[in-house]
């Protein structure tokens, strides 16, 4: 089904994210983002959120001890 393909694509991208393979994760999240539905009243979806995080973390690597947690540093 379309949903299972979307979930599988997102999970693949998510694994690349946790492995800090930023360029591969960005490419994979772009694939899953294209498959995700955009809900009325929302300007993003799960993949677009992670795309933004990947771009930031690519420029600001979290280091070897990173546990995958996203911490906001500013409001």
């Amino acid at each position: 089904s379309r949903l299972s393909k979307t979930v599988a694509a997102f999970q693949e991208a998510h694994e690349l994210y946790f492995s800090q393979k930023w360029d591969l994760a960005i490419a994979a999240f772009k694939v899953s983002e294209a498959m995700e539905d955009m809900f009325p009243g929302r300007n993003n979806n799960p993949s677009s959120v992670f795309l933004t995080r990947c771009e930031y973390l690519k420029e600001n690597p979290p280091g070897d001890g990173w546990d995958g947690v996203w911490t906001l540093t500013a409001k």
Side-chain angles (χ1 to χ4, degrees), residues 4-14 28-29 31-32 35:
S4 63
K5 289 178 183 174
T6 304
V7 170
F10 181 85
Q11 287 176 332
E12 179 182 341
H14 207 243
F29 278 121
V31 170
S32 61
M35 299 169 81

Side-chain angles (χ1 to χ4, degrees), residues 13-66:
H14 207 243
E15 288 174 17
L16 291 165
Y17 170 84
F18 279 112
S19 298
Q20 299 188 45
K21 296 177 180 173
W22 308 124
D23 290 329
L24 294 173
I26 289 166
F29 278 121
K30 285 181 180 178
V31 170
S32 61
E33 180 183 42
M35 299 169 81
E36 289 175 2
D37 292 324
M38 190 65 70
F39 296 99
R42 289 174 54 189
N43 61 357
N44 61 23
N45 57 29
S47 292
S48 64
V49 169
F50 276 94
L51 275 167
T52 302
R53 291 179 185 181
C54 286
E55 295 286 357
Y56 176 84
L57 292 168
K58 180 179 175 181
E59 298 300 320
N60 303 277
D64 292 341
W66 184 58

